[in-house]
Amino acid sequence: MAITSVYLWCYGIKWAFLRNHDTLQYQTKLLPARQKTIKAMQSEQYNTNSKKVIFFLFALLFTAGLSANAQNIRVAAAANLQPVMEVLQKDFKQKTGISIDAVIGSSGKLVAQISNGAPFDVFLSADMSFPETLFKNGFAKEKPVVYASGSLIICSTQNIGFENWERLLLSARVKKIAVANPAIAPYGKAAEQSLQDKGILDDAKPKIVYGESISQVNTYITTGVADVGFTTQSLVKELGNKTTLYYKVIDPKTYEPIQQGIVILKHGADNPSADKFYRYILSPAAKSIFKAYGYRVQ
């Protein structure tokens, strides 16, 4: 009985050992398969997470790209605005965070570009007739409004005296007179009107050197290519202490008012940033800047 009990007890240990041994061998055989399964699951989870991260980053960059594009606007601005435009751009961006890509040129040439499909959002003209033409032809969202009135001056880098500028222009002292092309530049048109009003246009014409824009006229004046020139008063502010400029403001009664108009173009009709810039140009903040550059504002 005791022997039987001992045998059974030993047999139990052996059976238990064999059972555990078999289980261990079975588990050992399964371990590589489980490790493969775990690695596959981890790899799948990693790939899934990676895809999510990549998709998130792509969506973020895409959204940022759309936001950036929505924030930027393209503005066509008359050449006489070149000095003041830089100040307006900086002030507007500081107030709104919106960047402006400004293209400067004569009003007539800019209108030609817009009419041929140039993707501008806003047009700042040197007169009212050019933006009115764009509106009539369906290129502008609404009728133009006046944002400022320009001031015409006669000037030179030489201190030749402008007390009696009409007589001076006909004297031997002045050989070249710079004037912007009156067909496409409103300030050139105003200059010829003033010369006509004084009755000296025909006599002065042989001396006139025409520039394609007021910017080119300014170059003629500051480099000495022309002895004198008719330009915008904003040039005086632009040069500051860099170049000494002698000038006289032309009596505004001698030429038609240079009322400068702004319009939101068809391309910018659905751009909220274009509308913000439009309202900014008509705001007291912008008017203060225009006034500092010699423009008249209401």
Side-chain angles (χ1 to χ4, degrees):
M1 183 73 177
I3 294 172
T4 302
S5 298
V6 171
Y7 173 77
L8 289 173
W9 180 76
C10 291
Y11 178 79
I13 292 175
K14 181 181 178 182
W15 184 82
F17 172 77
L18 291 173
R19 184 183 61 183
N20 291 337
H21 178 70
D22 291 340
T23 302
L24 182 61
Q25 283 185 322
Y26 176 73
Q27 289 178 340
T28 302
K29 290 178 180 178
L30 287 179
L31 185 59
R34 287 183 178 178
Q35 287 178 334
K36 287 182 181 179
T37 303
I38 292 170
K39 285 182 179 180
M41 291 175 65
Q42 288 175 337
S43 177
E44 184 178 353
Q45 185 177 8
Y46 175 79
N47 290 335
T48 302
N49 290 338
S50 297
K51 288 178 182 178
K52 287 181 179 179
V53 170
I54 291 170
F55 178 78
F56 174 76
L57 290 173
F58 177 78
L60 186 64
L61 290 171
F62 181 73
T63 304
L66 288 177
S67 177
N69 288 333
Q71 290 290 298
N72 296 333
I73 56 174
R74 286 176 57 83
V75 175
N80 70 283
L81 295 174
Q82 187 165 7
V84 70
M85 196 63 198
E86 294 177 8
V87 182
L88 292 168
Q89 283 176 272
K90 185 177 179 180
D91 186 57
F92 181 67
K93 185 170 184 178
Q94 199 172 36
K95 285 179 167 59
T96 64
I98 300 170
S99 297
I100 298 171
D101 180 15
V103 175
I104 307 294
S106 65
S107 296
K109 284 193 172 182
L110 291 173
V111 167
Q113 291 176 26
I114 293 166
S115 300
N116 286 315
F120 294 114
D121 299 303
V122 180
F123 175 43
L124 289 168
S125 179
D127 70 352
M128 287 293 285
S129 64
F130 282 122
E132 282 172 352
T133 299
L134 288 174
F135 174 70
K136 289 177 183 177
N137 293 337
F139 292 102
K141 179 181 176 182
E142 296 175 353
K143 290 183 178 181
V145 297
V146 176
Y147 62 87
S149 295
S151 180
L152 182 69
I153 65 170
I154 184 170
C155 64
S156 173
T157 54
Q158 307 171 47
N159 187 10
I160 54 179
F162 287 114
E163 291 79 13
N164 191 338
W165 62 268
E166 307 97 310
R167 183 177 297 175
L168 175 67
L169 293 185
L170 300 182
S171 71
R173 193 169 186 182
V174 173
K175 294 177 176 60
K176 291 182 180 179
I177 306 166
V179 175
N181 184 346
I184 57 176
Y187 279 79
K189 182 180 178 182
E192 286 205 342
Q193 286 175 347
S194 185
L195 290 169
Q196 184 68 53
D197 181 81
K198 296 295 182 180
I200 61 171
L201 178 59
D202 291 338
D203 293 330
K205 266 197 172 182
K207 296 183 178 183
I208 293 178
V209 178
Y210 288 104
E212 284 304 299
S213 68
I214 207 69
S215 296
Q216 192 170 38
V217 168
N218 292 344
T219 301
Y220 290 162
I221 295 168
T222 56
T223 59
V225 170
D227 301 298
V228 300
F230 288 89
T231 186
T232 170
Q233 192 174 342
S234 63
L235 177 64
V236 179
K237 177 73 174 179
E238 178 189 10
L239 295 179
N241 297 323
K242 299 174 186 176
T243 303
T244 302
L245 201 65
Y246 303 92
Y247 71 97
K248 180 180 178 64
V249 177
I250 300 298
D251 185 355
K253 293 178 182 178
T254 64
Y255 59 89
E256 294 177 8
I258 308 175
Q259 293 184 319
Q260 304 196 188
I262 181 174
V263 284
I264 296 178
L265 300 169
K266 190 176 180 181
H267 184 269
D270 297 322
N271 188 343
S273 297
D275 187 64
K276 284 183 181 180
F277 181 68
Y278 177 87
R279 286 185 279 111
Y280 164 76
I281 290 297
L282 302 177
S283 73
K287 286 182 178 182
S288 177
I289 294 172
F290 280 119
K291 192 173 181 180
Y293 276 78
Y295 293 92
R296 294 187 295 274
V297 294
Q298 294 181 347

